[in-house]
């Protein structure tokens, strides 16, 4: 049984480290705002009518 407790302890420590890292990234890192420009071809905006 001691190896099961050791395994669970190690898994809990790793999960705590991952959770702490995610929480520190969420609270300490501020995202930068920037403008986004997307070019759309004119053919998509004004499709040509097919002539029969």
């Amino acid at each position: 049984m001691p190896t099961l407790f050791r395994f669970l302890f190690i898994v809990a420590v790793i999960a705590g480290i991952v959770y702490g890292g995610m929480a520190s990234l969420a609270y300490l890192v501020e995202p930068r705002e920037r403008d986004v420009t997307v070019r759309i071809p004119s053919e998509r905006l004004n499709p040509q009518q097919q002539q029969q």
Side-chain angles (χ1 to χ4, degrees):
M1 250 340 179
T3 57
L4 176 63
F5 291 133
R6 188 180 310 151
F7 172 73
L8 291 176
F9 179 74
I10 291 173
V11 169
V13 167
I14 292 172
I17 291 171
V18 170
Y19 183 77
M22 288 175 49
S24 65
L25 284 175
Y27 287 114
L28 300 176
V29 176
E30 292 292 328
R32 290 180 287 179
E33 292 185 13
R34 57 184 175 152
D35 294 332
V36 176
T37 304
V38 178
R39 294 184 181 260
I40 301 174
S42 62
E43 293 83 24
R44 289 187 60 193
L45 293 175
N46 299 320
Q48 298 291 326
Q49 298 287 335
Q50 290 184 356
Q51 296 181 4
Q52 298 176 352

